[in-house]
Amino acid sequence: MEKNSVDYSPLLSKQGDETDGYVKKISPNFVVSATKWTLRTLISIIFIIWAAFIFLLPSESVHGLFSKWLNFSSETSFGITGSILLILSAPVLAIAFLAIAYLIISGEDQLPEKKNSKYPRFRLWTFPILINGPFGVVSATELIGIVIFLAYVIWAFYAYTMQALAAMSDQLSFRAKSLHMLEILGLRSGGIGLMCLAFLFIPISRGSVLLRFIDIPFEHAAKYHVWLGHLTMVIFTLHGLFYVIEWLMEGHLIQELLEWKDIGVANLAGVISLVAGLLMWVTSLPGVRTWNFELFFYTHQLYIIFIVFMALHIGDFIFAMAAGPIFLFVLDRFLRFCQSRKTVNVISSRCLPCGTVEMVLSKPQNLRYNALSFIFLQVRELSWLQWHPFSVSSSPLDGKNHIAVLIKVLGKWTGGLRERITDGDATEDLSVPPHMVVTASVEGPYGHEVPYHLMYENLILVAGGIGLSPFLAILSDILHRVREGKPCRPRNILIVWAVKKSNELPLLSTVDMETICPCFSDKVNINVHIFVTRESDPPLEEGYNYKPIKSLCPFPMPSDYGMSGLVGTGNNFWSGLYVISSTLGFVILLALLNIYYINPVGVVIWWYKGLLLVVCMVASVVIFGGIVVGFWNMWEKQSSLKDKSNNIKVDKIEQNGSVDHKDLTQYNIAKLTTIRYGSRPDFKEIFESMSEKWGHVDVGILVCGPPTLQSSVAQEIRSHSLTRQPYHPIFHFHSHSFDL
């Protein structure tokens, strides 16, 4: 995939200063920067006002103004539902529209903006504050977000409780007061949970334009979804318990649980929604998820029951409070569904002796991704329902028509994949192409909108086992950029790699650095420190072979079998048109529904109107968004045909299996590599050594590995930051690990 070079020249060039009749020409870069600044400012203002309104809504003054607005607008065609959608859901959609414009103006290929200050400085989002707590490694920015959410929940409960106590008559008995308080707390906790639910769906939208705008990839956003999921389900559980206790005290629990009102809240629908939510919550707990991932995965599909029955439970106008983020999730989910239906060619596949599978997949030339992206992979011979995430091990500059992943064999699914590939190899029938061995489908690629590994001149890449995979892509990306003269800041790179056994060492040789960039050591300083933790001595050469199992040879494939670019860091124009058309379609369908059905007929049933609202949301995406997706697919096919007419073929893939794999110490990289057996990385020693060597600079530290590795690195970064000398570097923590 070709990258556009980025001009780091001054915003007002000398040519721009030349006057023609004393009128200065305005640099296009200045116009773009000013427009982007304006869009960012508008987005910030809208978000701050929206978030402040939600935070202050429990107060009597703001709640009173909101009630007056609802009464004033209740006689309009859209009624109270339209008013709530306008106040609480429309701001999220407005932010999405502005974010689309920002991404289009920024261009398809962004690079980190050059820092104005030449001095290193701390950043809240890269400074780890909490290390070993229940949230894992938490940065200062994330801690601020956690505090804000907890403060909102505590403040809302306090405000509603005080209001209920103030309105309570002193003449009521203690039992009557208790029942009244349970009623109020149950009602208000449901509203608080609904506000948290609105934020819950934003990070789980994998290809969301909002995540792309703030440059938070899904593997980071997934943990925010987990945090918000715990908070939301705790509040909804309290919501149900308050009512259950009240009904028990009143002596008609069963009747209330089974009640389904036409005017008012449908209790049975709420019970069904809560049970579905509890099943998702319990099976998503770390212990259960580790014990049986499939159970977690399948029960999480109950989100459909959870959302639909919630709409039936509370009706249209209350559900409208969280409809905006849910609508964006529906947009993302439909696009992912369309992309995942397509079969993707497996150009080549092979098994390494360390229990790792390498797969090279076909992709169209116009599909964008960066070196820290990842994909979700489905193999239909193994399961039609399971999708597993894998980091991309190839750079977008490695080739225009392929993308590669390394898959560590750890469980039943990955073991089955390895068996499929080895069984295909055993047939020794070269007439059977790799895509006949496994039938693959792909979601993604997902990842950072901006390749942040290019932000730093100094990088430390810390990997555990197969966690080296994304760093291979980074190495390849940097070397390609250096060779081709593309913008690339990294000049000092240290790789710290911890493996259990030495049979994993050939993974490093999957990137032939000397071939990518001859004499790269003259331009980029690369050092590799490898720690083999479960072997005290190097293995004997006799009987030990690094040569991988025979690879399936690549076959030229028709471009129709490349993965689709509908989601992830896809085409900004088409993705923007998809979001805008679906949103306008939602407004149109809602208007038609109210003008020609609900208002003339006089529909007042709460649960029925809630169902109609959900149907409008889904129908607008399928109909209006589906039309755009159809044209998008046609455009992709035309692009593929154009590439084919220009005689552009599948990239030639280097077959490392045909290379004479010798001992790692005999490679060109041997002089850059230090291998230590029987020991683990001492990050204090490593960071101190780099501090003395690199001096007062910014150092990006990227970690990909198990939670214990992340915690160790984050702990040392925090310790170093608190005791650092003025001439030492500032370390910036970035995690590239996630656990679904």
Side-chain angles (χ1 to χ4, degrees):
M1 180 173 59
E2 296 180 356
K3 295 277 187 178
N4 296 326
S5 61
V6 176
D7 184 11
Y8 286 123
S9 60
L11 295 179
L12 294 178
S13 63
K14 293 181 179 180
Q15 289 79 2
D17 288 337
E18 293 178 359
T19 58
D20 190 353
Y22 298 100
V23 178
K24 292 186 177 181
K25 297 179 181 179
I26 300 176
S27 167
N29 287 342
F30 175 80
V31 175
V32 171
S33 299
T35 305
K36 291 169 63 176
W37 180 87
T38 302
L39 290 172
R40 285 196 302 264
T41 303
L42 284 174
I43 290 174
S44 300
I45 292 173
I46 294 173
F47 177 77
I48 290 172
I49 293 175
W50 176 64
F53 178 80
I54 292 176
F55 193 91
L56 297 175
L57 187 59
S59 66
E60 291 188 29
S61 57
V62 176
H63 189 270
L65 291 174
F66 186 52
S67 299
K68 291 180 180 179
W69 162 255
L70 295 181
N71 292 331
F72 172 77
S73 58
S74 60
E75 300 300 325
T76 62
S77 298
F78 289 92
I80 296 178
T81 302
S83 300
I84 295 178
L85 282 172
L86 182 63
I87 296 296
L88 291 174
S89 291
V92 181
L93 300 177
I95 290 173
F97 286 6
L98 294 173
I100 290 168
Y102 181 91
L103 291 173
I104 291 176
I105 292 173
S106 299
E108 295 293 327
D109 300 292
Q110 302 182 58
L111 284 179
E113 296 179 359
K114 195 171 184 179
K115 300 292 183 298
N116 294 325
S117 175
K118 62 181 179 179
Y119 300 105
R121 57 183 178 179
F122 286 100
R123 304 187 188 108
L124 293 178
W125 56 90
T126 61
F127 181 67
I129 292 290
L130 302 180
I131 307 297
N132 296 315
F135 300 103
V137 178
V138 178
S139 69
T141 300
E142 292 168 343
L143 180 61
I144 293 172
I146 292 172
V147 170
I148 290 175
F149 269 98
L150 293 179
Y152 164 73
V153 173
I154 295 171
W155 144 251
F157 270 109
Y158 170 79
Y160 289 133
T161 302
M162 292 298 101
Q163 294 171 22
L165 291 175
M168 194 178 299
S169 174
D170 294 335
Q171 298 178 355
L172 295 176
S173 65
F174 176 77
R175 184 174 184 276
K177 290 182 179 179
S178 300
L179 291 174
H180 179 71
M181 284 301 301
L182 288 170
E183 177 80 20
I184 294 297
L185 290 175
L187 174 65
R188 297 307 185 185
S189 60
I192 297 170
L194 202 59
M195 290 294 96
C196 294
L197 183 72
F199 287 93
L200 176 67
F201 279 89
I202 293 177
I204 202 61
S205 301
R206 297 176 184 172
S208 169
V209 66
L210 298 181
L211 296 183
R212 292 180 61 191
F213 169 73
I214 57 180
D215 198 22
I216 296 181
F218 176 67
E219 79 267 16
H220 289 183
K223 67 177 181 180
Y224 306 147
H225 172 75
V226 172
W227 297 348
L228 287 168
H230 290 317
L231 178 63
T232 302
M233 287 312 304
V234 166
I235 296 173
F236 277 147
T237 302
L238 290 175
H239 165 70
L241 284 176
F242 285 136
Y243 279 110
V244 167
I245 295 173
E246 178 193 0
W247 296 334
L248 277 173
M249 292 177 63
E250 292 178 340
H252 44 76
L253 173 64
I254 302 300
Q255 298 92 319
E256 290 286 354
L257 290 177
L258 298 178
E259 189 175 35
W260 193 303
K261 298 178 182 178
D262 288 340
I263 308 298
V265 173
N267 292 340
L268 180 57
V271 172
I272 296 173
S273 177
L274 182 59
V275 169
L278 290 174
L279 285 173
M280 288 190 293
W281 186 27
V282 171
T283 55
S284 68
L285 296 175
V288 179
R289 190 171 68 247
T290 303
W291 169 65
N292 193 328
F293 179 84
E294 286 76 14
L295 178 64
F296 152 74
F297 179 83
Y298 294 136
T299 54
H300 235 62
Q301 310 312 307
L302 292 173
Y303 73 86
I304 300 175
I305 302 296
F306 178 70
I307 292 300
V308 171
F309 278 88
M310 176 177 290
L312 298 176
H313 171 56
I314 57 182
D316 59 329
F317 70 93
I318 302 178
F319 184 77
M321 298 171 68
I326 294 176
F327 180 70
L328 291 179
F329 171 77
V330 175
L331 281 168
D332 177 76
R333 192 63 191 89
F334 178 71
L335 209 56
R336 286 162 45 199
F337 173 81
C338 293
Q339 186 195 36
S340 63
R341 296 308 94 194
K342 188 173 184 179
T343 301
V344 177
N345 258 339
V346 180
I347 299 177
S348 69
S349 58
R350 62 173 180 162
C351 296
L352 301 174
C354 56
T356 300
V357 173
E358 182 186 58
M359 295 184 67
V360 182
L361 307 170
S362 174
K363 79 169 188 68
Q365 291 190 52
N366 55 17
L367 179 66
R368 298 172 55 240
Y369 74 99
N370 64 52
L372 281 172
S373 297
F374 68 97
I375 62 173
F376 279 81
L377 179 66
Q378 177 206 57
V379 176
R380 298 181 183 180
E381 288 80 6
L382 302 178
S383 173
W384 278 78
L385 296 177
Q386 292 187 42
W387 292 82
H388 294 263
F390 300 102
S391 296
V392 172
S393 60
S394 62
S395 162
L397 300 178
D398 281 333
K400 300 175 182 178
N401 295 91
H402 79 272
I403 188 170
V405 292
L406 291 172
I407 303 171
K408 181 72 172 179
V409 178
L410 294 173
K412 181 179 179 181
W413 188 90
T414 52
L417 177 63
R418 188 168 191 256
E419 289 180 6
R420 294 283 308 180
I421 294 174
T422 53
D423 290 346
D425 285 339
T427 62
E428 296 187 357
D429 184 3
L430 296 180
S431 64
V432 180
H435 72 279
M436 300 300 294
V437 177
V438 292
T439 306
S441 295
V442 171
E443 279 188 18
Y446 303 104
H448 283 271
E449 189 71 13
V450 177
Y452 70 87
H453 63 280
L454 300 177
M455 289 173 56
Y456 304 98
E457 292 186 4
N458 307 278
L459 283 175
I460 298 180
L461 310 178
V462 182
I466 195 61
L468 183 70
S469 176
F471 299 155
L472 297 176
I474 288 178
L475 277 179
S476 179
D477 192 53
I478 291 173
L479 293 175
H480 274 293
R481 289 178 175 275
V482 170
R483 186 192 67 185
E484 299 173 16
K486 294 180 179 290
C488 182
R489 293 185 194 138
R491 285 298 180 265
N492 298 302
I493 303 173
L494 171 64
I495 300 176
V496 180
W497 185 27
V499 297
K500 294 180 180 179
K501 296 183 179 180
S502 55
N503 64 347
E504 298 185 53
L505 299 183
L507 287 177
L508 189 60
S509 67
T510 57
V511 174
D512 192 340
M513 293 189 282
E514 196 68 36
T515 299
I516 295 174
C517 183
C519 301
F520 67 87
S521 57
D522 296 335
K523 304 172 184 178
V524 183
N525 181 27
I526 299 176
N527 288 282
V528 183
H529 292 182
I530 301 177
F531 297 83
V532 183
T533 60
R534 296 189 179 180
E535 292 180 2
S536 57
D537 297 298
L540 298 176
E541 292 185 2
E542 291 76 15
Y544 194 87
N545 191 0
Y546 286 108
K547 184 176 181 179
I549 298 174
K550 172 174 66 72
S551 301
L552 291 173
C553 299
F555 284 71
M557 300 296 175
S559 57
D560 291 344
Y561 288 93
M563 66 180 66
S564 171
L566 295 181
V567 297
T569 52
N571 183 279
N572 290 330
F573 172 79
W574 283 107
S575 60
L577 188 61
Y578 167 73
V579 173
I580 293 173
S581 63
S582 299
T583 305
L584 293 177
F586 176 48
V587 175
I588 292 172
L589 290 181
L590 197 60
L592 294 175
L593 184 68
N594 280 275
I595 295 173
Y596 294 103
Y597 179 60
I598 292 179
N599 294 334
V601 177
V603 177
V604 294
I605 300 175
W606 283 27
W607 65 265
Y608 182 54
K609 293 176 70 175
L611 178 62
L612 290 177
L613 180 61
V614 173
V615 170
C616 279
M617 293 171 61
V618 176
S620 63
V621 174
V622 174
I623 297 173
F624 293 87
I627 293 174
V628 174
V629 170
F631 283 110
W632 192 348
N633 279 320
M634 291 173 59
W635 176 81
E636 281 193 336
K637 290 182 179 179
Q638 290 296 325
S639 299
S640 298
L641 291 174
K642 184 178 179 180
D643 294 340
K644 190 175 182 180
S645 65
N646 291 333
N647 296 321
I648 300 176
K649 298 180 180 180
V650 176
D651 301 306
K652 180 180 179 181
I653 310 301
E654 293 290 340
Q655 294 301 301
N656 291 321
S658 62
V659 177
D660 184 15
H661 284 261
K662 301 179 182 179
D663 194 320
L664 189 63
T665 58
Q666 299 178 21
Y667 274 84
N668 293 333
I669 197 177
K671 58 183 179 181
L672 308 175
T673 304
T674 301
I675 304 178
R676 298 181 183 179
Y677 291 87
S679 64
R680 298 180 181 275
D682 185 343
F683 293 110
K684 182 177 181 179
E685 176 186 342
I686 293 172
F687 291 168
E688 287 180 352
S689 173
M690 292 301 102
S691 296
E692 298 295 334
K693 184 177 181 180
W694 289 344
H696 190 45
V697 294
D698 284 312
V699 177
I701 299 182
L702 282 64
V703 186
C704 186
T708 53
L709 182 66
Q710 298 179 58
S711 299
S712 299
V713 174
Q715 180 75 40
E716 190 53 45
I717 290 177
R718 186 179 66 177
S719 175
H720 170 86
S721 300
L722 296 176
T723 60
R724 61 178 290 274
Q725 300 297 322
Y727 54 86
H728 279 175
I730 292 179
F731 294 124
H732 301 274
F733 179 83
H734 297 275
S735 171
H736 191 65
S737 305
F738 67 102
D739 182 13
L740 294 180

